[in-house]
Amino acid sequence: MSAASPSLDPCLPVGLMDSVQRDGQTVFLRGQGDCSRCQEVVRPFLGKTDSSTSSSLGGVYQAPINFYSFSEFCYCKEDVLCIGGHYSSTKYTRAAMDYCATKWSTLKQRLDSKLFASQTDLHRLKYQCFKSAWMYEVLHTGFQFPKDYPNLKTTQLVYDKEVQWTLGAILFKTRFLPLRDLEVEAFRQSHSSWIRFFFVCNHYLIFACILVVVLAILLYVLRLRRIHQREKRSAATLDLLRVEEGEPLKG
């Protein structure tokens, strides 16, 4: 593959020339801007097989729940396609196909004219066609949302709180914590009597140990004082005897 005869990429905007480095080789690409063809190309990456369950994505079971879509789903719809809010597969497909079919030079002119969201850059423009096709396949082939599904909405806030996939992952991982807390609380209640008894006993035992140590220190100090006073009396008696015998006192 050379720059003169690049590989045709349906997921890049029309007229965009690109290159990718792989294993020391350069692959040259030219965008076709074919959203339908791009969907066919990305579909195998979902890991869907004929034996997959109806709500399986990559062989992983997906629980039937109501959805807000955020993060990349939100960016993909709102930043460039400008169709945020409630999801409509018909409206989304039309907007994605129109974008993919737009020439790269025209897309850059629109970016310079600030017709897209403020955070949009050339990287977003370059891969918006691919991401549009990928999101569509994830929703309808991966998660198997009906194309007329009315209750899917893209948003960045839920009850005025920003939501991200990391928050969802944490909530999923901690979903059993309340049950564990209940088990711990039940254990504490069932053993509360002997725990209190053990704590009270330990409390009095520690107090008794401290009291014994303090008394031992006091007795030791008193004994030192008695020894010191006895030595002083003995020294005074010796001095008195020396005076009586006529011996001079030292010092």
Side-chain angles (χ1 to χ4, degrees):
M1 298 179 186
S2 64
S5 58
S7 176
L8 301 180
D9 190 335
C11 296
L12 291 178
V14 177
L16 172 63
M17 301 297 295
D18 195 16
S19 61
V20 180
Q21 300 289 334
R22 285 292 183 272
D23 299 327
Q25 296 182 345
T26 302
V27 179
F28 296 91
L29 305 171
R30 185 176 69 195
Q32 285 185 304
D34 189 339
C35 189
S36 298
R37 175 61 183 149
C38 185
Q39 291 174 3
E40 296 176 3
V41 171
V42 301
R43 192 171 298 139
F45 293 101
L46 293 169
K48 297 285 290 185
T49 63
D50 294 337
S51 60
S52 298
T53 59
S54 60
S55 57
S56 148
L57 182 63
V60 179
Y61 176 73
Q62 306 294 331
I65 57 178
N66 296 323
F67 278 92
Y68 281 96
S69 61
F70 51 93
S71 192
E72 186 57 44
F73 283 92
C74 186
Y75 308 147
C76 187
K77 282 188 60 185
E78 296 187 8
D79 288 1
V80 175
L81 301 183
C82 302
I83 50 171
H86 284 90
Y87 174 80
S88 166
S89 64
T90 303
K91 187 177 180 181
Y92 178 85
T93 300
R94 186 186 309 115
M97 288 185 172
D98 289 345
Y99 179 87
C100 291
T102 303
K103 292 182 179 180
W104 176 242
S105 57
T106 302
L107 294 176
K108 290 196 294 184
Q109 289 176 1
R110 292 178 181 176
L111 179 64
D112 294 337
S113 300
K114 301 185 183 302
L115 299 180
F116 302 122
S118 59
Q119 61 269 24
T120 305
D121 54 15
L122 286 176
H123 185 275
R124 164 60 61 176
L125 290 187
K126 181 177 178 180
Y127 295 109
Q128 176 65 39
C129 182
F130 159 75
K131 291 183 177 183
S132 298
W134 173 250
M135 292 302 151
Y136 184 90
E137 289 300 316
V138 169
L139 284 175
H140 298 296
T141 303
F143 291 122
Q144 295 196 342
F145 277 92
K147 292 183 180 180
D148 58 349
Y149 189 76
N151 297 320
L152 176 63
K153 182 179 180 181
T154 56
T155 185
Q156 288 285 55
L157 301 175
V158 175
Y159 296 112
D160 297 325
K161 302 295 182 181
E162 184 175 358
V163 290
Q164 295 291 342
W165 70 267
T166 46
L167 175 60
I170 292 173
L171 292 174
F172 178 78
K173 291 295 184 181
T174 59
R175 64 194 185 282
F176 296 124
L177 286 183
L179 295 180
R180 295 171 185 167
D181 291 342
L182 288 175
E183 292 176 359
V184 171
E185 186 63 24
F187 175 84
R188 288 175 179 173
Q189 291 179 358
S190 63
H191 298 79
S192 59
S193 58
W194 68 263
I195 289 176
R196 284 196 297 270
F197 175 78
F198 182 78
F199 176 80
V200 171
C201 289
N202 279 347
H203 179 74
Y204 284 114
L205 180 61
I206 293 173
F207 178 78
C209 291
I210 294 174
L211 182 61
V212 169
V213 171
V214 172
L215 290 175
I217 293 174
L218 290 175
L219 291 174
Y220 181 74
V221 171
L222 291 174
R223 179 178 174 154
L224 289 177
R225 290 185 63 184
R226 289 174 182 171
I227 293 173
H228 182 66
Q229 290 175 356
R230 189 181 305 158
E231 289 176 349
K232 287 179 65 176
R233 286 197 298 269
S234 298
T237 301
L238 289 175
D239 290 341
L240 182 60
L241 290 174
R242 288 170 182 161
V243 170
E244 290 176 353
E245 293 175 358
E247 294 181 5
L249 293 177
K250 295 180 180 181

